[in-house]
Amino acid sequence: MSKFIFVTGGVVSSLGKGIAAASIGKMLEARGLSTASIKCDPYLNVDPGTMSPFQHGEVYVTDDGAETDLDLGHYERFTNTKVGKDSNITTGKVYYSVITKERRGDYLGKTVQIIPHITNEIKDGIKKVAKDQDVDVTIVEIGGTVGDIESLPFLEAIRQMKWEMGANYCLNVHVTLLPYIRSAGEHKTKPTQHSVGRLREIGITPDILLCRTEKHMTKEQKEKIALFCSVDREAVFEAIDVKYIYEVPVAFKKQNLDNLILRKLNIKRPDGDLKRWEDFVIKRLKNPAKEVSISVVGKYITLPDAYKSIYEALVHGGIANNTRVIINKIDSEDIEKFGAKKYLKDTNGILIPGGFGTRGIEGKIKAVQFARENNIPFLGICLGMQIATIEFARNICGLKNANSTEFEKSTKYPVINLLEEQKKVKNMGATMRLGAYPCKLQKKTKSLQAYKKENISERHRHRYEFNNEYRKIFEKKGVVFSGLNIKKNLVEILELKNHPWFVACQFHPEFKSKPDRAHPLFQQFIAASLAAVADK
Ligand code: GLN
């Protein structure tokens, strides 16, 4: 039977609970344990698929087509865990299920209540993942901050689980903030005391505290926190700010956090190390041999979380090439106003990520044109591929004002449009082409060169597609359709013949990249951008 680690957060949001949970997973894997990961989100949306990136950050897509919280991306990047539709439990999903059951009559005769019906639904959801994945340890992160009204049912559910299963089966890890007050020259422990106090009020006493801090903690501070928060002396850990998120598991391991977790959960395993991770990932991150500058042209660039997986995949591509990737985040509306040259003339590679809606589209088209005309390596992803299509249609195929029907319904040349099945769609939630689809790579293409195998599978999240009516003219003018979905007869990847490296895909490769296993397209994109540096 799986054991459970519940990760909660206190004092403020954005403490890096997701990274902490993923790092715990990484350490446990190093000890030979299998893990599963769950993120509980207290909002009422069924999933984050309908939220703006400004509200929520990136939507992380799983192989089985779920639109989920970006923390699940951290889990997949740090560990070998596979996440799926059951890995993200939202309040919306929980209520939807309970209300559906109530209407069906499953609770006939009963008053349906938050306790026990909502809490049971949460517990069942958590246990289902542990059972389906048949793992040693299931790590459950509770979103939000302790003290929020909306996360209370989740906290009550994990309190009950520990009561039912016992302390050897469930462990509470609380991530908290230890602010350093510069003028006083000291850490303040009061917010942590209050946050743990809130948890204890609802019946949860944390087993382990991870204190986010910018300066090292002293032994005395740890003892003081242990005493006031009623946790073991050895269970107070510092989670000091690090430059690269991938250092976090190493920093925890150095403090023997994994030993304490195993001991408290009564699990015996030989020691393990993170040597490969340290040698390959951390060393190359800290002391790379080369440097390359990549421009990401998008419309959510002010928010670091909006393109989380893209930025991480670029870093992975850098690690694979022993290269530091400097990412320039460029607002496509600025390019619209002031032209591409001003922002892109010194860049070694250009990437256009996914997106929705018309704002900033013309700026992105200009960025593609700049990459194409100046032989700058280009990677287009989802919307980025659609933009590359529009640019090529307008500027090379002579299809004046060609467009996607997403941006102009009655465009004369709809080079990107909706499939019949999408035209019938009425609801917005979970109705895009979502999740893993197969793709066959064509011979003698840069894509095949990157993947080194013909049959691949990649994750999708979009409604619009390349319009097959234009395939011939594109091919005649120098486009190679290097990746195809044979069954559905869809274009998955296009490349340019007369360009050093111009690859645009309809899917999202960034979701499958890991720090020690960079995605082939990102690896090759960085390699091509490096070659461009050498040429300069
Ligand atoms: N808006 C485009 C579509 O729905 C692209 C989506 C995306 O980039 N994820 O097809």
Side-chain angles (χ1 to χ4, degrees), residues 28 31-34 136 259 262 267-272:
L28 297 186
R31 303 293 295 262
L33 294 163
S34 58
D136 299 316
N259 286 346
L262 262 61
I267 299 174
K268 291 191 179 54
R269 277 293 194 283
D271 208 0

Side-chain angles (χ1 to χ4, degrees), residues 54-304:
F54 282 124
Q55 289 271 314
H56 185 270
E58 154 188 291
V59 172
Y60 186 77
V61 182
T62 60
D63 266 343
D64 65 0
E67 297 173 284
T68 70
D69 185 75
L70 57 81
D71 276 330
L72 293 177
H74 294 312
Y75 303 155
E76 283 204 328
R77 281 188 281 274
F78 277 67
T79 67
N80 294 315
T81 294
K82 268 236 153 280
V83 300
K85 61 181 186 337
D86 295 329
S87 314
N88 201 181
I89 304 176
T90 65
T91 299
K93 203 186 266 178
V94 169
Y95 274 78
Y96 195 83
S97 170
V98 168
I99 291 168
T100 307
K101 287 178 187 168
E102 186 275 333
R103 290 289 83 186
R104 206 164 55 204
D106 290 12
Y107 313 112
L108 274 189
K110 300 220 176 69
T111 308
V112 182
Q113 295 180 295
I114 291 179
I115 303 171
H117 299 95
I118 293 296
T119 44
N120 282 352
E121 188 76 20
I122 294 170
K123 288 193 289 183
D124 290 348
I126 292 173
K127 288 178 193 163
K128 179 176 190 299
V129 172
K131 188 160 174 276
D132 288 353
Q133 297 197 23
D134 192 20
V135 289
D136 299 316
V137 181
T138 304
I139 302 166
V140 185
E141 179 194 345
I142 311 293
T145 308
V146 167
D148 295 347
I149 292 173
E150 49 181 22
S151 60
L152 280 174
F154 289 101
L155 295 173
E156 171 60 12
I158 63 169
R159 183 198 67 75
Q160 290 181 11
M161 276 182 76
K162 189 167 184 178
W163 182 83
E164 287 160 4
M165 300 170 83
N168 280 341
Y169 274 88
C170 297
L171 192 75
N172 288 100
V173 175
H174 190 53
V175 186
T176 172
L177 179 70
L178 197 66
Y180 180 78
I181 307 295
R182 230 161 269 270
S183 55
E186 59 179 4
H187 281 116
K188 290 292 173 193
T189 62
K190 197 70 78 187
T192 295
Q193 294 176 40
H194 281 305
S195 167
V196 173
R198 287 305 279 273
L199 264 179
R200 291 171 65 196
E201 265 171 38
I202 51 179
I204 296 173
T205 302
D207 300 290
I208 291 175
L209 292 178
L210 304 179
C211 306
R212 276 304 302 274
T213 164
E214 52 178 302
K215 287 213 186 290
H216 286 295
M217 294 167 71
T218 60
K219 194 159 164 264
E220 292 70 39
Q221 281 165 344
K222 287 187 186 171
E223 296 220 339
K224 182 178 173 189
I225 291 172
L227 175 68
F228 287 177
C229 297
S230 214
V231 300
D232 295 344
R233 276 196 187 88
E234 51 176 4
V236 181
F237 291 85
E238 89 179 8
I240 196 148
D241 294 349
V242 286
K243 188 152 183 212
Y244 304 103
I245 52 173
Y246 303 116
E247 292 178 77
V248 176
V250 179
F252 284 162
K253 173 107 187 126
K254 274 201 188 114
Q255 301 174 67
N256 292 321
L257 172 59
D258 56 333
N259 286 346
L260 187 69
I261 292 175
L262 262 61
R263 207 171 74 227
K264 285 196 181 270
L265 285 176
N266 200 16
I267 299 174
K268 291 191 179 54
R269 277 293 194 283
D271 208 0
D273 61 41
L274 295 170
K275 209 165 160 3
R276 204 190 94 81
W277 183 263
E278 279 186 76
D279 285 351
F280 190 70
V281 179
I282 312 294
K283 272 200 191 134
R284 285 182 169 207
L285 273 174
K286 289 192 164 167
N287 295 306
K290 295 161 270 182
E291 196 170 280
V292 74
S293 116
I294 301 294
S295 297
V296 174
V297 181
K299 70 171 175 180
Y300 309 115
I301 45 104
T302 49
L303 189 81

Side-chain angles (χ1 to χ4, degrees), residues 287-389:
N287 295 306
K290 295 161 270 182
E291 196 170 280
V292 74
S293 116
I294 301 294
S295 297
V296 174
V297 181
K299 70 171 175 180
Y300 309 115
I301 45 104
T302 49
L303 189 81
D305 275 356
Y307 302 121
K308 191 87 209 156
S309 295
I310 297 259
Y311 296 146
E312 291 308 318
L314 282 172
V315 170
H316 307 161
I319 294 172
N321 286 285
N322 201 2
T323 295
R324 171 168 297 127
V325 180
I326 299 173
I327 302 175
N328 308 312
K329 301 168 183 175
I330 298 168
D331 190 331
S332 53
E333 283 182 297
D334 287 339
I335 293 188
E336 222 160 275
K337 281 185 228 142
F338 307 111
K341 194 166 170 201
K342 176 168 185 273
Y343 299 95
L344 299 173
K345 65 179 189 317
D346 295 322
T347 202
N348 306 125
I350 297 173
L351 186 151
I352 300 195
F356 297 83
T358 37
R359 190 164 62 80
I361 290 301
E362 295 301 322
K364 289 180 191 170
I365 294 174
K366 281 188 183 159
V368 177
Q369 184 177 5
F370 194 80
R372 186 178 52 74
E373 290 178 348
N374 294 286
N375 287 328
I376 300 171
F378 173 82
L379 179 57
I381 294 177
C382 206
L383 176 68
M385 180 255 199
Q386 300 176 354
I387 296 286
T389 302

Side-chain angles (χ1 to χ4, degrees), residues 354-356 381-383 386 406 432 461-464 508:
F356 297 83
I381 294 177
C382 206
L383 176 68
Q386 300 176 354
E406 180 179 4
M432 286 188 240
R461 181 174 185 253
H462 57 101
R463 292 188 198 281
Y464 294 81
H508 288 272

Side-chain angles (χ1 to χ4, degrees), residues 379 447 450-451 501 503 505 507 509 519-526:
L379 179 57
S447 304
Y451 283 92
W501 205 88
V503 177
C505 49
F507 50 77
H519 187 283
L521 289 182
F522 279 88
Q523 181 167 349
Q524 289 296 302
F525 173 53
I526 298 297

